[in-house]
Amino acid sequence: MDALYSGGTMGSLIASAIVRHGDRPAIGDGRVRWTYRELGGEIGRYIAVYKAMGLKKGDALSILASNRAESWAAMCAGLVMGMRYTPLHPLAAEDDQAFIVEDAEIDLLIVEGEKFAARGRAIQQRAAGLRHLLSFGPMEGAGDILVTAADAEPAPLVDESEPEGLGWLAYTGGTTGRSKGVMLPHRAIVAMTMLLTGDWDWPTEIRYLAATPISHAAGVTIYPVMYRGGYVRLTQGFEAETYCRVVAEERITATFLVPTLIYALIDQPALRAKHDLSSLDMIVYGAAPMSPDRLREAIAIFGPVFVQLYGQTEAPQCITTLRKVDHDLARPERLGSCGRPSPMVDVRLFDADMREVGVGEPGEICVRGPLVMGGYWKRPDANAETLKGGWLHTGDVAVKDAEGYLYIVDRTKDMIISGGFNIYPREVEDALMAHPAVASAAVIGIPDEKWGEAVTAFVVLKPGIEAAAAELQAHVKDRRGAPWSPKTVNFVDAIPVTGLGKVDRKVLRAPYWEGRKRGVA
């Protein structure tokens, strides 16, 4: 039976890309630039180093680094060997990183010596089971894997992974308590890669820019680029001037950005005028909802180049897709949609009793198919809840229109109950961001003696434009109705976001709910 299920792994996909695309440019980070053949050599050297250390199939690798080509090669080496890989977000706190390394039973942690030496040593002290600590570059107390790999003879890229073997053990963002390890077998990552390759509107020549951390969404998007023989350019974080310069110099054709970063580009016309961004042919956005009104602004500036992804760690990147053709200005309501289900992904909207709801009725997005995780790592309690009834329960509430487009109204846990009304923050945020003075907004519910929970808004105004709280409250009332109008509008310089670019409602809610036994009124 094993022969029937051979292949279909990320190890085979990586090895195949190296062979098929040979001398085509593969990856660069501003310091190094490798062809596919050179990338294959680097991957082979890391495999040789791992095996010399006694690491083998089934062992666990984790990396804490900024976006650099060596990090990608080291991760690919683990996948080819059949190791499981756990990414660490470079912006996460020490507590969360140390918890993940220990919980995931990591055998080898590689950190970037220049930026994360102290953090690496701290994690080593706290994670009892960590066997090896290495670094990219010099670091006290750790061997420099760049030196070791440079001296190693490249091992052949022989795929040792299996379709149901763990490829990624990726942890959720931790916005609701301790992070959970999501078990993504090779089968799920291959399914994602094929879906992204086939369902997104890729340019003919793929020159992909990853500015957000490749430990997360920007990273897994590299797989379809490799499959197609495209070029990946990494930058070390998003800085608008650097981003625009790299797009112009490298003639970037595809990129992934969270909405807050697209807003940053929209609001800097002088920067856009300085750099030629006309090569951009596909801008993928996701990880957080985008205001339809701001999306309309972006289309006016960049043209019909936008593709929206909707997924989550448990079913990565492509539960649904809103393709370029779906961003139809003649159908403005559709700009608020997250698209239609991807092929091979079964998506239903269920009520609390797991009965499918009708068109226009809100229900929880539930998913099944080869894209779905194998479960949570060491968390049978969470598996029972999230995989109830043989479906992945996303925790996202949506409505479906007659043509099958889904519209997410919000996370179930974020719902505000005010004066007996169920109010979803997304509805209020979209109304606020339709006002010409508003750059971004976030909405939460806070305890209120009269209403139970009061709708409270945090608003960032566009540079040089003023608006009073009463004006914004009246605006929302006109667009949505009185219950949706914020009782309070707080003007702030920036909306707090998680390391993944999502609005951090936990931070916003904390001062108001501190000391209470539960977070709802």
Side-chain angles (χ1 to χ4, degrees):
M1 290 292 289
D2 289 345
L4 291 174
Y5 297 95
S6 64
T9 64
M10 292 310 299
S12 65
L13 187 147
I14 291 165
S16 173
I18 299 301
V19 172
R20 293 170 69 189
H21 304 306
D23 293 321
R24 291 176 64 89
I27 191 167
D29 61 10
R31 301 171 302 105
V32 303
R33 183 183 175 99
W34 298 331
T35 65
Y36 277 86
R37 195 181 314 282
E38 290 167 335
L39 173 60
E42 294 295 325
I43 294 170
R45 290 183 181 91
Y46 283 103
I47 290 174
V49 171
Y50 296 164
K51 293 198 170 186
M53 296 169 62
L55 294 170
K56 61 188 184 306
K57 176 179 176 178
D59 286 341
L61 166 69
S62 191
I63 296 174
L64 175 58
S66 60
N67 286 359
R68 56 187 299 156
E70 297 93 346
S71 178
W72 186 253
M75 183 273 292
C76 287
L79 289 178
V80 173
M81 277 181 63
M83 297 173 70
R84 68 175 183 270
Y85 168 66
T86 292
L88 292 176
H89 197 293
L91 300 181
E94 179 187 314
D95 281 352
D96 198 43
Q97 291 171 344
F99 166 78
I100 289 171
V101 170
E102 183 158 28
D103 188 67
E105 301 173 15
I106 297 301
D107 296 292
L108 167 62
L109 171 64
I110 308 174
V111 302
E112 186 171 8
E114 184 180 350
K115 297 184 178 180
F116 299 107
R119 179 63 58 85
R121 288 190 290 268
I123 293 171
Q124 185 181 38
Q125 290 294 316
R126 297 178 61 174
L130 181 63
R131 293 162 51 197
H132 306 284
L133 175 66
L134 297 176
S135 64
F136 295 121
M139 171 180 158
E140 185 180 343
D144 185 347
I145 196 169
L146 297 182
V147 173
T148 311
D151 294 335
E153 181 69 24
L157 303 192
V158 178
D159 179 26
E160 299 180 55
S161 58
E162 298 175 358
E164 287 299 329
L166 279 189
W168 281 51
L169 177 59
Y171 280 70
T172 58
T175 54
T176 54
R178 273 298 187 195
S179 299
K180 298 190 292 290
V182 176
M183 297 189 291
L184 293 173
H186 284 254
R187 169 260 304 162
I189 312 171
V190 169
M192 178 206 73
T193 301
M194 295 300 102
L195 286 170
L196 298 190
T197 302
D199 213 32
W200 286 7
D201 301 288
W202 293 95
T204 302
E205 182 183 2
I206 301 175
R207 301 178 63 81
Y208 170 70
L209 175 57
T212 54
I214 60 171
S215 53
H216 289 75
V220 292
T221 305
I222 294 175
Y223 293 131
V225 177
M226 289 184 68
Y227 181 73
R228 293 278 299 274
Y231 168 67
V232 176
R233 176 62 157 87
L234 307 177
T235 60
Q236 290 67 50
F238 178 89
E239 191 280 316
E241 172 77 41
T242 301
Y243 180 89
C244 292
R245 176 180 56 77
V246 172
V247 169
E249 289 178 355
E250 300 268 15
R251 303 306 295 158
I252 296 298
T253 60
T255 192
F256 168 84
L257 292 171
V258 297
T260 50
L261 303 185
I262 296 175
Y263 299 162
L265 295 178
I266 292 173
D267 293 333
Q268 299 191 59
L271 198 55
R272 298 196 313 272
K274 180 180 176 183
H275 299 283
D276 180 6
L277 307 183
S278 63
S279 61
L280 285 171
D281 187 74
M282 183 181 77
I283 300 176
V284 180
Y285 65 99
M290 186 167 178
S291 158
D293 288 272
R294 301 236 72 190
L295 179 55
R296 190 178 291 105
E297 285 184 69
I299 293 170
I301 292 168
F302 294 102
V305 300
F306 289 90
V307 173
Q308 181 186 167
L309 66 85
Y310 163 65
Q312 55 181 206
T313 308
E314 294 85 343
Q317 300 288 82
C318 48
I319 293 174
T320 66
T321 302
L322 192 73
R323 302 182 65 182
K324 288 181 184 177
V325 69
D326 300 319
H327 289 74
D328 184 357
L329 296 179
R331 300 287 301 273
E333 75 284 354
R334 194 158 292 161
L335 299 184
S337 169
C338 64
R340 290 193 275 205
S342 300
M344 300 164 52
V345 183
D346 193 0
V347 179
R348 308 280 178 86
L349 302 184
F350 289 134
D351 65 15
D353 297 316
M354 288 198 68
R355 293 177 300 214
E356 189 170 5
V357 301
V359 170
E361 297 178 3
E364 183 182 13
I365 299 175
C366 294
V367 184
R368 64 185 178 188
L371 184 67
V372 174
M373 67 172 180
Y376 292 115
W377 177 255
K378 301 189 293 190
R379 291 291 302 273
D381 55 329
N383 288 336
E385 178 183 353
T386 304
L387 300 175
K388 181 176 62 178
W391 292 80
L392 170 67
H393 293 252
T394 66
D396 290 322
V397 176
V399 296
K400 181 170 67 174
D401 68 17
E403 295 177 277
Y405 289 87
L406 299 185
Y407 299 77
I408 297 174
V409 287
D410 227 305
R411 294 285 296 174
T412 51
K413 64 178 179 291
D414 289 334
M415 187 175 70
I416 302 165
I417 303 179
S418 182
F421 285 88
N422 291 348
I423 297 170
Y424 293 106
R426 171 78 187 275
E427 298 170 330
V428 184
E429 290 163 358
D430 283 351
L432 283 165
M433 285 193 280
H435 190 282
V438 176
S440 60
V443 170
I444 61 169
I446 67 171
D448 186 270
E449 291 275 329
K450 180 178 181 181
W451 302 102
E453 290 181 278
V455 179
T456 301
F458 298 82
V459 170
V460 178
L461 294 176
K462 293 179 180 177
I465 306 179
E466 297 292 328
E471 179 183 352
L472 298 182
Q473 289 167 324
H475 173 77
V476 175
K477 181 180 178 181
D478 287 342
R479 289 185 72 98
R480 296 293 321 187
W484 282 263
S485 182
K487 300 292 187 290
T488 306
V489 176
N490 302 285
F491 294 99
V492 295
D493 293 329
I495 302 294
V497 295
T498 68
L500 302 183
K502 301 180 182 181
V503 172
D504 197 338
R505 298 189 207 278
K506 183 180 179 183
V507 168
L508 293 174
R509 286 166 57 88
Y512 301 96
W513 295 88
E514 189 175 358
R516 292 176 175 256
K517 291 185 178 178
R518 60 179 188 168
V520 293

